[in-house]
Every structure is written in C-alpha cells, then in structure tokens.
Amino acid sequence: MIKDEFITLGQALKEAAVIDSGGQAKWFLADIPVWVNDEEENRRGRKLYPGDQVKIEDMGTIVITRDDE
C-alpha cells in the first residue's frame, strides 16, 4: 500500500477508498472514531508505517503494507 517509508493517515484513508479526497480526511476523522494500533487517532497527518493497523468504526481494519512493486 505504501511506496515510501510512511504514509499519512489521510492518504491511507484515500488509498483505501474510505474517503474520496484528502480534503475529506479532517471532516471524516472528526465524525468517525478511528484507532491506530489500538489508540484513538484524529490527526490526518499521523505517520503510518508497515505493520500499523487502522481500525475504523463500523468499517473494518486497514493493515499498512509496503508496495514492493
């Protein structure tokens, strides 16, 4: 899922098609509970690394992986 060292939470939500644009991340995180590695998170700029887990209430879990292509 990521090509660089990390991806931000806002970018990960967009890549996973949870939101349509990066601009929606702030609104989404203000309204929908999201946990990163079992800690509640509302910062769209939170850096995520391979192995991190993002749990979104009523939607499921995104596991951050490295794109080796």
Side-chain angles (χ1 to χ4, degrees):
M1 180 174 194
I2 64 174
K3 295 177 182 172
D4 298 318
E5 180 182 351
F6 65 87
I7 188 171
T8 65
L9 179 55
Q11 291 170 330
L13 293 173
K14 184 178 173 191
E15 286 285 323
V18 174
I19 57 175
D20 294 326
S21 70
Q24 292 178 326
K26 186 175 182 178
W27 166 84
F28 182 85
L29 292 169
D31 289 347
I32 308 294
V34 174
W35 291 267
V36 175
N37 300 328
D38 296 322
E39 295 180 12
E40 192 164 3
E41 184 60 71
N42 61 7
R43 297 174 295 159
R44 63 184 174 169
R46 165 78 185 257
K47 293 178 182 178
L48 304 174
Y49 298 91
D52 285 346
Q53 293 187 9
V54 179
K55 294 180 185 175
I56 306 166
E57 187 171 276
D58 298 329
M59 292 187 183
T61 301
I62 301 167
V63 178
I64 305 302
T65 60
R66 182 168 304 284
D67 184 1
D68 291 327
E69 295 183 31

